[in-house]
Amino acid sequence: GTIIITRSYLVDAVIDGDGDGVYGTPGVGDGGFSAVSTTPGTRATFSLELQNEGSEPESYTISWNAIPGWNAALDGNPSPYATIVLPAGSSVTYAFDADVPAGAAPGDYDFIIDVVSAIDPINTESVTARVTVVPVPPSYIAIIVFDDTDHDGSYDPGEPGLAGVTVTVTDPGGDIIGTTGAAGTYVFDVDAGLLRDVIETNPAGMYSLSPDTVSVPAVAAGDTAWVYFADVMGPTLIPNNVTNAPAGGFADLSHTITAGTSGQAVISAILPAGWTEAFFRDNNGDGILDPGDTPLVPADLDLDPAVPGLDVVPVILRIFIPPTAPVGSIEVITITLDQTFSGTAVTASVSAFDQVTVIAAASGLLQLVKEVDLIAAQPGDVITYTIIFSNPGTEDVQEIEIIDPTPAEVDIELNAFGPGQDVAWVNGAVTTYLTADPADADEAMYD
């Protein structure tokens, strides 16, 4: 036969199944090891089993070290904890919980758990419970701002994104602001678990077909919430004209309407009392009222950027100035284009402002129109300005000086048409090149 002789008192602590039959040194924790990974603001739980390996009933005192800011407990009890009496050969299992502070830095945090016999202080055991704190993965709010070409307020395949739109996400630490890229997208990295608002700020000329503020429920760590903003571009009406016209005569004002999205538009003008107007479609686009131009009808303003002839509509506003209009008076004519986007109740309104100076009937006239080839430009782009001036009057106009200050945001492109050719002067079929160099004595002069 075999006789097994045991110590009267012997305890074995097993943590999460590790350390069975291993007896650790007090305060060292080498009798068993367990590690749990978690994030700040959560709880790490370990299973601690005490086995009475001796031949006598015994109870124990369990204690562990404190970590500043942390809360740890054994079955909800603080350190130290006195166990029940365990009969020889029996065991008991406890839950050891460690609450990780919300501000805990990533890293390893060790709890050394010591077990000491209440009867024989020499009978001890020691194990380690390690909590590895890892960073909380962010949650994501992905935003798409798109050109809602079918005006249904929903994002459909093939609808292009809109770049340059400012989007904002609310945050307890201050609002977070971004700008959509070329695909109309922007992704925010935010802390998980918070209710937030996403706000869109439309650039000038853009109109919303969906709410500009969207509430986003709390997003779990690592998850993504998608927010869509349905927008369309409104129409443009350019340019603002400055011209002279005789009392008792006509002033013809040329404008270009460009469609941003589909929808019926109407155009109107606000005139001084006694003045009258008529709108024509400039069929050849030359800015002059010709016999081939036709009165503007509603079908001309059924705008649609996808339909040739309705994407860009050149128009001429002819104004009759009554003979009683005071010579020398200056009137500003407001031209307004209102477009209702198809399938919606959303209306866009844009205006142009033309200045007309009333001159005597028998006079030379100076009509001036300024155009630009780009509606918007980025740094490094080249912008071409065209100034068209003519004399539709009855007498010659001489010694004309055109002063056209350039904005501070642009620089004159010297040698734009070749060496020493800075400005192109076009008179019929003849083009003459002038300089724009302040060091040149006859800068930009033409006889």
Side-chain angles (χ1 to χ4, degrees):
T2 300
I3 299 174
I4 300 175
I5 303 174
T6 66
R7 287 176 50 185
S8 299
Y9 304 106
L10 180 64
V11 63
D12 190 10
V14 180
I15 185 165
D16 285 336
D18 185 68
D20 193 10
V22 180
Y23 305 96
T25 306
V28 176
D30 54 355
F33 177 84
S34 178
V36 173
S37 295
T38 188
T39 56
T42 60
R43 170 173 290 183
T45 298
F46 303 82
S47 176
L48 179 66
E49 181 184 4
L50 297 188
Q51 300 174 355
N52 183 354
E53 301 289 352
S55 60
E56 300 289 341
E58 192 173 13
S59 64
Y60 310 93
T61 298
I62 305 175
S63 61
W64 54 90
N65 57 297
I67 298 177
W70 290 57
N71 179 44
L74 190 73
D75 274 1
N77 299 291
S79 176
Y81 172 71
T83 73
I84 62 174
V85 176
L86 273 66
S90 67
S91 66
V92 64
T93 301
Y94 301 97
F96 180 77
D97 298 318
D99 293 328
V100 184
D108 294 332
Y109 298 83
D110 288 345
F111 287 94
I112 305 300
I113 304 173
D114 289 331
V115 182
V116 179
S117 169
I119 299 173
D120 181 5
I122 299 177
N123 181 22
T124 62
E125 169 71 299
S126 184
V127 296
T128 298
R130 171 171 291 178
V131 181
T132 299
V133 178
V134 297
V136 177
S139 59
Y140 304 95
I141 299 178
I143 297 171
I144 296 181
V145 182
F146 63 96
D147 184 358
D148 188 13
T149 54
D150 60 2
H151 300 173
D152 65 351
S154 299
Y155 182 54
D156 302 313
E159 290 184 323
L162 296 174
V165 180
T166 299
V167 286
T168 303
V169 168
T170 57
D171 187 82
D175 291 348
I176 310 170
I177 300 174
T179 303
T180 58
T185 60
Y186 193 86
V187 179
F188 291 93
D189 295 356
V190 295
D191 292 337
L194 295 176
L195 175 68
R196 301 174 184 273
D197 288 338
V198 182
I199 305 164
E200 176 197 26
T201 303
N202 283 332
M206 188 180 294
Y207 297 81
S208 294
L209 301 185
S210 63
D212 287 334
T213 300
V214 176
S215 292
V216 179
V219 183
D223 288 351
T224 302
W226 290 86
V227 178
Y228 300 90
F229 290 108
D231 293 337
V232 292
M233 293 299 298
T236 60
L237 176 65
I238 57 172
N240 300 324
N241 296 298
V242 178
T243 190
N244 305 320
F250 295 98
D252 291 338
L253 305 167
S254 175
H255 298 88
T256 300
I257 300 168
T258 303
T261 192
S262 61
Q264 184 65 50
V266 294
I267 194 168
S268 60
I270 300 176
L271 303 174
W275 295 39
T276 57
E277 86 285 353
F279 285 96
F280 296 85
R281 178 166 185 137
D282 186 9
N283 288 316
N284 60 6
D286 63 354
I288 301 172
L289 189 58
D290 302 314
D293 297 334
T294 54
L296 198 66
V297 297
D300 294 323
L301 296 180
D302 188 12
L303 304 178
D304 192 331
V307 178
L310 297 178
D311 54 346
V312 179
V313 181
V315 299
I316 295 175
L317 169 61
R318 165 159 282 193
I319 298 174
F320 172 70
I321 303 173
T324 56
V327 174
S329 61
I330 299 175
E331 302 291 348
V332 175
I333 312 301
T334 302
I335 301 97
T336 301
L337 181 80
D338 295 305
Q339 182 191 14
T340 300
F341 303 140
S342 58
T344 78
V346 179
T347 298
S349 182
V350 292
S351 297
F353 304 93
D354 294 339
Q355 178 178 296
V356 179
T357 300
V358 180
I359 60 176
S363 300
L365 304 180
L366 184 61
Q367 180 170 298
L368 186 67
V369 177
K370 182 177 179 181
E371 299 174 348
V372 64
D373 64 333
L374 299 178
I375 295 177
Q378 300 290 337
D381 290 350
V382 176
I383 308 170
T384 300
Y385 293 98
T386 303
I387 300 174
I388 304 169
F389 65 100
S390 58
N391 176 13
T394 59
E395 299 178 0
D396 290 347
V397 177
Q398 301 184 32
E399 299 300 329
I400 300 168
E401 182 177 5
I402 298 175
I403 301 174
D404 182 41
T406 56
E409 292 82 6
V410 301
D411 298 317
I412 294 178
E413 185 81 6
L414 300 179
N415 303 318
F417 303 97
Q421 298 178 347
D422 307 327
V423 179
W425 163 278
V426 180
N427 189 358
V430 179
T431 300
T432 302
Y433 296 99
L434 311 177
T435 65
D437 184 357
D440 192 330
D442 62 346
E443 171 196 3
M445 292 182 63
Y446 180 76
D447 188 356

